[in-house]
Amino acid sequence: MYLAVRSGYSPYGAVDTFERFAKLHAEFVIRAQSPEQEVSELAIQSLTGYFRSHPLPSERIAQAKSIIAEQHWEDRKMQKPFRVEYEVHNGEYVK
């Protein structure tokens, strides 16, 4: 976020991205249909949490908002469009 803001981007772009991740995370969570599935899901969630290598989207949103407040970036809401400068396909640069 620090580099993005120094480059002229809004820190709220990070919040928006993490909110999209949260929406996708909620859409793809399997909902239990029976007590047995609920117990299985609880076990899976426990293991997933234990081995998780990345914060949950909700944790990332909270952290991003905390940094925005800490750095006094609340007024930087205008989001600069993100532009792809180049792409790499099979090891070749494509404009």
Side-chain angles (χ1 to χ4, degrees), residues 28-53:
F28 290 98
V29 171
I30 298 169
R31 306 284 182 222
Q33 302 295 320
S34 68
E36 294 84 10
Q37 287 179 347
E38 194 169 328
V39 170
S40 295
E41 187 175 325
L42 182 61
I44 290 169
Q45 287 175 357
S46 296
L47 287 172
T48 301
Y50 183 77
F51 290 106
R52 187 177 77 200
S53 62

Side-chain angles (χ1 to χ4, degrees), residues 5-20:
V5 170
R6 290 188 75 178
S7 297
Y9 292 96
S10 169
Y12 289 95
V15 174
D16 181 52
T17 299
F18 296 139
E19 286 174 345
R20 290 176 192 215

